[in-house]
Each structure stands twice: as C-alpha cells, then as structure tokens.
Amino acid sequence: MGGGIQGMRPLSDVTINVRFKLMALWTSVMFCYIYADYFDLYTKGSIQQLVRGQMGPLGPATPGVLVGASVLLAIPSVMIFLSLVFPPNVARWLSLVVGTLYTLVNCTNFLSSRPFYVFYGVVEVVLTLLVVWYAWRWPTSSATTDR
C-alpha cells in the first residue's frame, strides 16, 4: 500500500521558486513587527506614552524620529515586492545585505524587558537569517529550477 498512514495517498509537492520564499519570509517579518507593536499597546503605560508623544526607547515622536521609524519599517515591506521584480542578481544581493542588516536590527529586541518583544526578536532574527540563507543559496542559471 505504500508509505504513510494506511489509506492515505502520498501528497505531491512542487518546487518553490526562491523569489517566493523570500517574499514569504519578508511578509512574515512584517507580520511579526505589526503584532509585536500591537501587543505593546496592552502593556501598562503604553497608551499614556503615546498620548504624551513618546515612542518608547526612541523618545519623543519628532518628525525626524517618525521618518526614521517609517524608513526602518518600509524597507522590509518593499523587499516583498523587490524580491519578485528585480533581476535575480540584484534581488539576491539586496536580500543578502538587507537581510543581514535587519538581523542586526532585530537583535535590539533582546534588550527589551518585555518577554513578548524578546520572543518576537528571536522569530524575526530566524526569519531574516533565513532570508540571508536562501539568498546565499540562490541557484545559478545552470540549475534547471529555483529551489
């Protein structure tokens, strides 16, 4: 009857192009950012800090701080798209550089006293390291498929 659970047929699988893997990883990183900041709203004093115009460890929400935070969050968002549309060599090197940079950025979550931020930091570091790993292992043109 074949391997697996009795009565179940083996499932077929497809090879997923490295571009889609990178897109999925960057999307996952963005969801982690959103959820971590959302959960932070439930910590004691968070709303009061927002009302006072404070952005946690970044201090006062000045226009410069807001632009800096916006750029920091926009880059992984845009990487979802750029992973798909840039030529392979450009997408690969951009993923290597940005993935490495954001691995370091995400390590700052380990400095938090909030356990959920540390948890999300671990997940984000793993995801961005996977971005770097998949980009590093991007198949060359001699390969028949992107694995």
Side-chain angles (χ1 to χ4, degrees):
M1 268 215 129
I5 300 173
Q6 186 176 355
M8 301 221 24
R9 291 184 278 166
L11 300 175
S12 66
D13 201 1
V14 296
T15 300
I16 299 172
N17 185 292
V18 69
R19 291 178 182 273
F20 294 113
K21 291 176 184 180
L22 294 173
M23 290 172 61
L25 287 165
W26 285 118
T27 302
S28 297
V29 167
M30 289 308 305
F31 273 111
C32 287
Y33 289 168
I34 291 166
Y35 281 122
D37 289 341
Y38 177 76
F39 291 149
D40 186 51
L41 294 174
Y42 289 95
T43 60
K44 187 175 181 174
S46 181
I47 300 296
Q48 292 80 5
Q49 205 176 34
L50 282 172
V51 170
R52 287 193 316 269
Q54 296 292 311
M55 288 188 64
L58 299 178
T62 64
V65 168
L66 291 171
V67 168
S70 297
V71 169
L72 194 67
L73 292 174
I75 291 171
S77 299
V78 173
M79 284 302 295
I80 299 166
F81 175 70
L82 298 181
S83 297
L84 181 64
V85 299
F86 272 5
N89 284 335
V90 175
R92 178 181 188 246
W93 283 106
L94 193 58
S95 294
L96 286 168
V97 170
V98 176
T100 300
L101 175 66
Y102 275 80
T103 297
L104 298 173
V105 167
N106 293 326
C107 284
T108 63
N109 285 341
F110 302 148
L111 304 174
S112 177
S113 61
R114 297 178 174 147
F116 70 91
Y117 263 130
V118 175
F119 169 76
Y120 275 111
V122 170
V123 174
E124 292 160 6
V125 164
V126 168
L127 291 170
T128 52
L129 283 173
L130 284 170
V131 165
V132 172
W133 188 73
Y134 278 113
W136 184 260
R137 297 192 65 233
W138 195 309
T140 60
S141 60
S142 63
T144 57
T145 60
D146 285 340
R147 287 195 175 134

